[in-house]
Amino acid sequence: MASIGKIVRRTFLFGSLAVVGGAAFGAWYVSRPAPNPLKPGEGEASLNPFVMITQDGIHLIAPRAEMGQGTHTTWAALLAEELDVELDQVTVIHGPPAKAYYNTALLAEGMPTKGYDASGFMHSLGEAMGVLGKVFDMQVTGGSSAMKDGFERMRVMGAGAREMLKAAAARRLGVDRASLKTAGGKVIAPDGTEMAYSDLAADLEGIETPKVALRRPEEWRLLGKTQPRIDIPAKSTGTAMFGIDTRLPGMKFAAVRMAPTRAGMKSFDGFEAGRMPGVEKVVDLGDGLAVIASNTWLAMQAVQSIPVEWEDAAYPDTSEAAFAALETAFEDEPNSTMREDGDPLQQPEGSARIEAEYRVPFLSHAPLEPMNATAWFDGKKLRLWCGNQGPTFLRTRCAEAAGLDEDDVEVNVTLMGGSFGRRGELDYAVIATKVAAAMPGTPVNVTWSREEDMTHDFYRPPAIARMTGAVRDGLPVVFDAQVSSPSIAAQAMDRWLGFAPSGPDRGIVDGLFNQPYGIPNYRVAGHRAMIAPPLGFWRSVGASYNGFFHECFMDELAVAAQTDPMEMRLKLTRDEWLPAFYCLEAVRDMSGWTGKRQEGVGRGLAMVYSFGTPVAVVIEVASTEGGIRMTNAWMAADVGVALDPGNIEAQLTGGLAYGLSAAIGEEITFANGQVDQRNFPDYEPLRMSQMPKVEVQILQNQERLNGIGEPGTPPAAPALANALFDLTGTRARELPLKKHFDFFV
């Protein structure tokens, strides 16, 4: 098959789709569809922006990035289920930047509701808001939204394509479309005549898309079952192409050295570096430098040899100053009060009052594949190859940097060696564009060193929570939380769209205000701290720290109430929201939770609702001669509809590992306006030997499908902290936990 670049440059056949009754989970209707960017050649057909049939077979043009989370496999299964093909008959290609590929589910996550209590009307309103993604060109992978975006969308595309193929076959044979069947990528006539989909591609001109009914779950062949990951063979054999692997004729290689203060340069002297054998050019980027050379290692050595004097940072120059700004923010009026049940300011008669303060640090994304992009600029056209979570935004910014119209920029999205939100940013591609512009006509692969990557991240912000509660008769009766943190959304939206939203910032309190516990007096206020080190979306965003605050304090309330933390949570969730209750029941039964302590062993519990999915976790720790060791973990999550149980288990386990890694040993600190940590010895991730054995149970009690890529992360830190308290009696209210405990390595 031709490359995606060639596909989008050819003429096209357009099909729009409609759904009528029979869809078990509602109807998805494409109204006034965006233009189809696919342009098939002779004998090929683009049935819609997502499905292309050529003589080589069936191709899914997937607009959501593959960064190890299995999105391409499940999207292919969604399509194959209705198109009546097998999974191995679908080739997946990442789509180009195009309005047709907007994320229909992303903006609904920002609705001002707790989520779990949203009415049918509010869900419909959230779906309607999703159309705004088209207005803002939000071709974005993030927010645990890929499956919510694709669940009905891809099945409709598959069903519509199937019926169009049947209509083409019926016209060729002179029979009624209803008499035809489909299986294995073929249309089958009543007399046994078979026509391959690829043979019918040329006959689709002028075929209108019939109305379609989606199959019920009990009819599914592929969905609901674990499927082999389509990306694993290439990754296992070293043939998968990540951004860093891009190789083009005549390519040069570059390394960058950006201002460690995220400011500008006062002066630099690149004369000697430019004379090094193999060095092609030293490029002044204004706020940093690049060296273009014959190989990456030489470029890195050369750029580091250049004497530079940097300007000072425009944000607090130490971690202590940043936390002081968080403390000051508590003195201002709240930016939001997104939950205020009862009267949390009054202490009920006969209750005991509890207060606590928690803190979490800046964190880096630290993906294994460092930032990189390849750019090829000839003065009139720009071509880019890189992993990215927002290719429409990336194209816009790179076009601006090159002085081109967006139509003159081609973006090729590759596989990603990790992201966790980092590749939702645009900086590394803009830098590559500027570097390539300094050497027109030559493709340049720009790769960041690990040190450059870690010291120039867009960090998960620090936060402080001040918690007040009261207990009576074995249960909490007051839960009053204030959290102070800077706004991620304000920065990110300004970088993406050129404006920062005003008003209440849901992200500051997400994972805190929307927990499904029936506490009668329940308030959560968010205070926006006005500090501006570069901040970005980090896996699970606000829930990553608010889950820690909420669930550790819930444990403190249980201790104060002299009640078992599991039984307390079960009582508080049963009448508030049953899916959370069932998750707690599941981990109770899986772990054999009794509430009784065993000598030398501690157990901790946490349950966090995020991205529409409740996840309960029990972690077990034990004292050993080498330090405290995590021995077992049990997880239960209610995803609503489990499209691929094996992949869901992998996502939950991976999310837990990411959260445990941050909880135990990760922290970004600042001194003199610069990041202290430079590489993994300074920012130590979880070792394989430290990972506990994990058992996962997937529940399906919710009516709607929900996110899974991020919800496994928020309960990790509080479950571990609560287990450590159970083991040692020491209550840690600050991360990372290595400040308070010695862990087995």
Side-chain angles (χ1 to χ4, degrees):
M1 182 192 176
S3 71
I4 189 65
K6 292 181 180 177
I7 288 170
V8 299
R9 288 193 292 268
R10 297 191 300 218
T11 59
F12 66 85
L13 166 71
F14 179 77
S16 60
L17 301 173
V19 185
V20 294
F25 298 97
W28 187 85
Y29 184 78
V30 181
S31 155
R32 298 179 183 175
N36 187 342
L38 306 181
K39 302 176 182 180
E42 186 176 349
E44 301 176 344
S46 168
L47 298 136
N48 49 61
F50 302 90
V51 183
M52 188 158 180
I53 297 177
T54 73
Q55 296 306 304
D56 297 328
I58 299 149
H59 305 273
L60 166 62
I61 315 304
R64 303 297 159 255
E66 178 60 68
M67 42 194 162
Q69 81 280 38
T71 289
H72 283 183
T73 299
T74 307
W75 271 51
L78 288 163
L79 179 73
E81 187 68 69
E82 292 287 350
L83 190 52
D84 280 337
V85 297
E86 299 305 317
L87 192 61
D88 60 7
Q89 292 179 278
V90 180
T91 300
V92 181
I93 304 172
H94 195 288
K99 192 176 288 291
Y101 299 130
Y102 73 95
N103 189 323
T104 63
L106 188 63
L107 290 178
E109 186 65 27
M111 292 286 289
T113 69
K114 295 192 286 289
Y116 68 86
D117 64 343
S119 64
F121 171 77
M122 291 304 294
H123 278 288
S124 297
L125 185 59
E127 291 173 359
M129 279 187 61
V131 178
L132 291 174
K134 179 162 53 177
V135 177
F136 294 115
D137 290 332
M138 296 196 75
Q139 184 180 343
V140 173
T141 304
S144 295
S145 63
M147 292 306 112
K148 287 187 281 189
D149 174 38
F151 178 44
E152 289 188 0
R153 200 179 194 184
M154 285 302 96
R155 290 187 295 145
V156 168
M157 295 298 174
R162 181 192 72 228
E163 295 305 312
M164 289 179 71
L165 289 160
K166 287 169 66 177
R171 186 170 64 180
R172 181 189 290 186
L173 296 173
V175 301
D176 192 322
R177 177 173 61 90
S179 69
L180 302 176
K181 298 180 180 179
T182 51
K186 299 176 182 179
V187 179
I188 306 167
D191 64 359
T193 300
E194 296 183 349
M195 288 162 283
Y197 289 171
S198 56
D199 293 338
L200 291 165
D203 294 353
L204 288 166
E205 186 88 38
I207 296 288
E208 292 292 328
T209 306
K211 293 179 179 179
V212 296
L214 301 181
R215 289 166 178 159
R216 297 184 300 274
E218 57 267 27
E219 299 176 289
W220 290 346
R221 300 174 300 111
L222 304 173
L223 300 176
K225 302 178 179 66
T226 298
Q227 300 298 332
R229 285 274 295 271
I230 62 174
D231 53 331
I232 294 301
K235 289 178 177 177
S236 301
T237 56
T239 57
M241 294 300 294
F242 295 84
I244 205 168
D245 299 319
T246 303
R247 295 294 182 269
L248 298 168
M251 176 180 282
K252 298 298 180 181
F253 301 85
V256 298
R257 184 179 170 200
M258 306 304 292
T261 54
R262 310 300 273 264
M265 294 185 294
K266 294 180 179 179
S267 65
F268 74 95
D269 184 355
F271 179 75
E272 292 299 333
R275 300 174 64 190
M276 294 172 64
V279 169
E280 301 277 346
K281 196 168 190 177
V282 176
V283 182
D284 181 355
L285 297 170
D287 55 351
L289 298 165
V291 166
I292 304 172
S294 57
N295 64 72
T296 300
W297 180 245
L298 173 59
M300 288 181 177
Q301 297 303 300
V303 79
Q304 288 301 321
S305 72
I306 298 173
V308 186
E309 186 179 2
W310 305 105
E311 294 180 356
D312 294 335
Y315 46 80
D317 62 357
T318 66
S319 299
E320 292 76 13
F323 275 99
L326 297 188
E327 292 172 344
T328 300
F330 283 115
E331 300 171 8
D332 300 328
E333 287 296 311
N335 168 265
S336 71
T337 304
M338 299 198 71
R339 186 166 184 170
E340 193 165 15
D341 303 338
D343 187 359
L345 298 181
Q346 294 294 324
Q347 182 171 339
E349 185 178 349
S351 64
R353 183 181 176 90
I354 303 97
E355 294 182 354
E357 182 175 288
Y358 297 87
R359 295 180 176 228
V360 297
F362 289 98
L363 291 176
S364 174
H365 296 86
L368 191 59
E369 179 191 14
M371 295 300 102
N372 66 87
T374 295
W376 193 347
F377 180 64
D378 64 7
K380 296 181 178 180
K381 300 284 185 180
L382 172 66
R383 300 171 70 189
L384 293 156
W385 293 260
C386 61
N388 186 259
Q389 294 174 245
T392 48
F393 300 149
L394 182 142
R395 179 183 61 183
T396 298
R397 292 292 171 266
C398 291
E400 291 171 354
L404 298 174
D405 292 334
E406 290 184 18
D407 290 344
D408 294 323
V409 178
E410 176 185 307
V411 178
N412 300 277
V413 179
T414 65
L415 294 173
M416 305 179 202
S419 176
F420 317 112
R422 178 61 178 94
R423 287 184 163 89
E425 299 298 338
L426 316 172
D427 55 325
Y428 56 97
V430 171
I431 288 170
T433 297
K434 293 177 179 178
V435 173
M439 191 169 280
T442 301
V444 184
N445 179 291
V446 183
T447 301
W448 296 26
S449 67
R450 177 69 61 197
E451 290 77 10
E452 196 70 20
D453 190 40
M454 190 163 288
T455 56
H456 293 81
D457 200 348
F458 291 83
Y459 302 100
R460 200 287 304 273
I464 300 175
R466 292 176 177 173
M467 318 288 282
T468 303
V471 295
R472 184 177 62 191
D473 300 328
L475 288 173
V477 290
V478 172
F479 188 100
D480 188 13
Q482 298 181 74
V483 61
S484 174
S485 187
S487 173
I488 301 171
Q491 282 200 27
M493 296 300 282
D494 188 48
R495 291 192 293 268
W496 286 355
L497 300 173
F499 69 89
S502 59
D505 192 322
R506 186 182 192 275
I508 292 174
V509 294
D510 192 32
L512 191 60
F513 84 95
N514 50 355
Q515 295 311 294
Y517 290 111
I519 301 172
N521 303 290
Y522 195 144
R523 182 181 71 158
V524 175
H527 295 262
R528 180 178 170 183
M530 303 305 289
I531 59 171
L535 307 175
F537 296 114
W538 188 91
R539 190 174 190 174
S540 74
V541 202
S544 69
Y545 54 82
N546 284 321
F548 173 68
F549 300 154
H550 192 287
E551 288 301 283
C552 285
F553 192 59
M554 286 293 286
D555 222 55
E556 295 206 46
L557 293 173
V559 172
Q562 298 181 342
T563 189
D564 177 64
M566 176 72 77
E567 291 304 312
M568 185 187 81
R569 285 176 173 85
L570 286 167
K571 290 177 182 177
L572 292 171
T573 55
R574 192 194 70 174
D575 295 332
E576 183 72 11
W577 194 50
L578 279 174
F581 173 84
Y582 292 138
C583 287
L584 288 164
E585 268 197 333
V587 293
R588 179 196 64 188
D589 297 342
M590 292 161 67
S591 65
W593 182 285
T594 64
K596 298 179 181 178
R597 288 197 67 247
Q598 180 182 344
E599 187 64 31
V601 175
R603 283 187 168 190
L605 168 67
M607 190 282 297
V608 180
Y609 169 82
S610 64
F611 303 93
T613 300
V615 180
V617 174
V618 171
I619 289 181
E620 182 180 82
V621 296
S623 295
T624 72
E625 290 185 2
I628 296 172
R629 184 171 191 172
M630 295 182 291
T631 52
N632 290 287
W634 297 269
M635 307 182 73
D638 190 332
V639 298
V641 182
L643 295 176
D644 187 319
N647 195 50
I648 291 171
E649 180 175 348
Q651 283 296 288
L652 287 168
T653 304
L656 181 75
Y658 198 69
L660 291 174
S661 187
I664 290 176
E666 296 176 7
E667 179 181 28
I668 289 293
T669 57
F670 288 82
N672 299 316
Q674 302 182 28
V675 171
D676 293 317
Q677 293 71 25
R678 298 178 56 78
N679 207 319
F680 287 125
D682 311 317
Y683 190 82
E684 190 170 3
L686 192 72
R687 309 291 182 93
M688 286 191 288
S689 60
Q690 293 177 294
M691 186 68 186
K693 179 182 177 182
V694 182
E695 183 180 343
V696 176
Q697 186 171 335
I698 300 165
L699 306 180
Q700 300 183 72
N701 294 306
Q702 295 200 70
E703 293 182 7
R704 296 174 177 85
L705 178 144
N706 286 288
I708 200 60
E710 294 164 275
T713 297
L720 177 56
N722 292 339
L724 293 167
F725 173 78
D726 189 47
L727 175 68
T728 67
T730 297
R731 178 69 68 184
R733 298 189 180 99
E734 180 185 15
L735 298 179
L737 294 167
K738 68 178 184 181
K739 292 181 176 181
H740 312 282
F741 305 98
D742 293 324
F743 289 95
F744 171 88
V745 177

